[in-house]
Amino acid sequence: MKKLFFVMALLCLFSNVFAQKIDENKINKIKAYIEDLESSKKTKGDISIFENSKEVYGESIGKNRCFYANQCYKTKGFRVGSFTKMITSIITFQLVEEGLLQLKDKLEKYFPEIPEANKITLSHLLEHTSGLKDYVSNGDDNKWLVKPQSHEDIMSVIISDSVSFTPGEDQSYSNSAYYLLANIIEKVSEKSFEKNIKKRIIKPLDLDNTTSALNKKSESYPSYSYENNKWEVVEDFYFPNAKGAGDLISNAEEMNIILEALFDYKLISKKSLEDMTSISPNYLYGKGIMKSSYFDINLFGHGGNTYGTHCRAFHDPNSDISISVINNSGDHSDNERIFNEILKIIYSEEIPSSDELTADLMQKMTGTYSCEELPVKIKMYFENGNLISQVTGQCPVPLASINNLKYEETSLGLTVEFMPEKNQLKIHQGQSFTLTKEETKEEKNNKASVQLTEEIINQIKGTYHKDGFPLDLTIFMKEGKLMVQATGQDAFELDPVNQYKYEKKIYEITLEFIPEKDQVNLLQSGQAFTLTKLDSESSLN
């Protein structure tokens, strides 16, 4: 009997280990979604999903191999941009494990000409805390890297840009840091960055479609935009300019293979991976890796954006699921939308229900939000069914939907969650802030138009009671404001809707007075109660 129990216990254990979250029903839903995208002819790209280290779904969208109508590339690689940074970080940790580098090494050991090089460590470079600015932007000339640039030209920009804060005291995304890391890798390994990728990533994992743009024989699918009912090729980076920061070419399947190998400790040790994925509560990035939270699910990986190709590749260590989505068309919001739709299908059991995105809900979410802690305001509005966020003085940013009340922009590390019943939203971008929706001019005018005469005040003030209801409500005037106080609680001001109807949206409370009956209808969180005013003698007892 004991032996039988032991065997059954083992069977239970293995069934838990190999239990699948992505069943046939979910695969069919994903297929239907991708087929719908395919039929729309509005996006191109590549998708791969792994579970338990095996690909359970893989599909390309659009004829990505075709540069023009009858001309096709033989390769299957896409320009995956900043996903390169994860490769740069892995190679850096490999060199640390080999004793050729230390994370505490100062930048001055390799590039003493860089400002603050005596304070910047390799660790700072990896986690974007060096203070170095972004050479890709180069002031207003943000397209300067579409043409070949010399190493000396790039270094000149990095040096002249200097630093924006004391190293280690803040975090700001820096392509400059990863360009320098790639060059440090070349110095200590005495091999080109391209050869390091080949030796340390491509060969051990047997990757056929991954390479570096530094490889002169490399080819990749171009980037497109859909203009005038046809696909037009987009001018993109000259990718050797982005060494270590964005030169990788790969596809969705092989990005997942890299993620799986990383989290299986096949590329770096467990200790190194823990260091790589350790992210300060106030920061957005680890050391060459990003963390994306989908409700209570933590995903680790990296995104990438070029002038026309966008990707996201993330791994869920708890469920051993990897998802990679590449779009070589459209903008990054397309990529966000596809990635999040796949997440919704895979993790449908873990997603809490939310309100349907009705016209009424959209209206409640639309508006200008602010809080005392932030010096700017955030405008939220819908455009062609998509939620747009715009910070005071900045460009509009489309947000990808996680559900009807939660949105994100992964490349900015931004998550927005609406609480329409309170006229508030919560944003998280390194730190969390709760912002309140400001009143519109019309709402302010409506309030100003409500005149509280002495007659109305006398009709509605007093203490209201209902048998079996745990609290009495006392209505009174204070400094010209109508106030309400529940038994044992603090008083607060009521906002007028009309002369006999008042509300406090933050508490989800509406009070509608019926003076001819000496009653008030209380509505809170979908529940309704009718309370009756006590006479003066009763209210004193």
Side-chain angles (χ1 to χ4, degrees), residues 215-255:
N215 177 356
K216 294 180 180 179
K217 295 181 180 180
S218 67
E219 290 183 294
S220 60
Y221 298 133
S223 300
Y224 296 91
S225 66
Y226 195 71
E227 305 288 343
N228 302 317
N229 294 318
K230 64 179 180 178
W231 292 105
E232 300 285 355
V233 176
V234 172
E235 184 179 36
D236 217 325
F237 286 92
Y238 176 70
F239 286 93
N241 290 334
K243 180 169 65 177
D247 60 289
L248 197 73
I249 295 168
S250 191
N251 64 17
E253 179 184 6
E254 295 195 354
M255 290 164 78

Side-chain angles (χ1 to χ4, degrees), residues 223-360:
S223 300
Y224 296 91
S225 66
Y226 195 71
E227 305 288 343
N228 302 317
N229 294 318
K230 64 179 180 178
W231 292 105
E232 300 285 355
V233 176
V234 172
E235 184 179 36
D236 217 325
F237 286 92
Y238 176 70
F239 286 93
N241 290 334
K243 180 169 65 177
D247 60 289
L248 197 73
I249 295 168
S250 191
N251 64 17
E253 179 184 6
E254 295 195 354
M255 290 164 78
N256 277 342
I257 291 172
I258 293 168
L259 282 169
E260 292 283 335
L262 174 62
F263 281 86
D264 283 342
Y265 316 122
K266 293 178 180 177
L267 294 173
I268 58 176
S269 67
K270 181 179 180 181
K271 180 182 177 183
S272 293
L273 182 62
E274 287 173 351
D275 194 1
M276 186 177 177
T277 56
S278 176
I279 302 175
S280 167
N282 295 324
Y283 289 163
L284 302 176
Y285 313 103
K287 294 179 175 68
I289 204 162
M290 301 169 67
K291 178 180 175 183
S292 179
S293 295
Y294 187 73
F295 297 99
D296 294 329
I297 303 147
N298 291 323
L299 306 167
F300 294 89
H302 216 290
N305 294 302
T306 75
Y307 291 133
T309 297
H310 315 279
C311 77
R312 294 186 73 195
F314 282 85
H315 177 76
D316 171 6
N318 290 328
S319 300
D320 194 12
I321 291 173
S322 296
I323 306 166
S324 291
V325 176
I326 305 171
N327 291 87
N328 60 329
S329 62
D331 58 35
H332 67 273
S333 64
D334 290 337
N335 186 264
E336 296 266 351
R337 186 177 65 254
I338 295 169
F339 191 90
N340 283 322
E341 189 62 35
I342 291 171
L343 284 179
K344 283 182 187 178
I345 295 170
I346 292 174
Y347 295 101
S348 56
E349 297 88 352
E350 282 126 296
I351 300 174
S353 60
S354 62
D355 295 337
E356 182 184 354
L357 189 58
T358 60
D360 181 58

Side-chain angles (χ1 to χ4, degrees), residues 157-173:
V157 172
I158 294 173
I159 292 167
S160 63
D161 275 349
S162 190
V163 296
S164 56
F165 55 82
T166 303
E169 292 191 0
D170 203 350
Q171 188 175 65
S172 181
Y173 195 82

Side-chain angles (χ1 to χ4, degrees), residues 460 464 500 512-521 530:
I460 63 178
Y464 292 78
Y500 293 106
E512 190 164 4
F513 293 93
I514 313 167
E516 64 274 15
K517 294 184 178 181
D518 276 343
Q519 290 181 333
V520 62
N521 288 329
T530 299

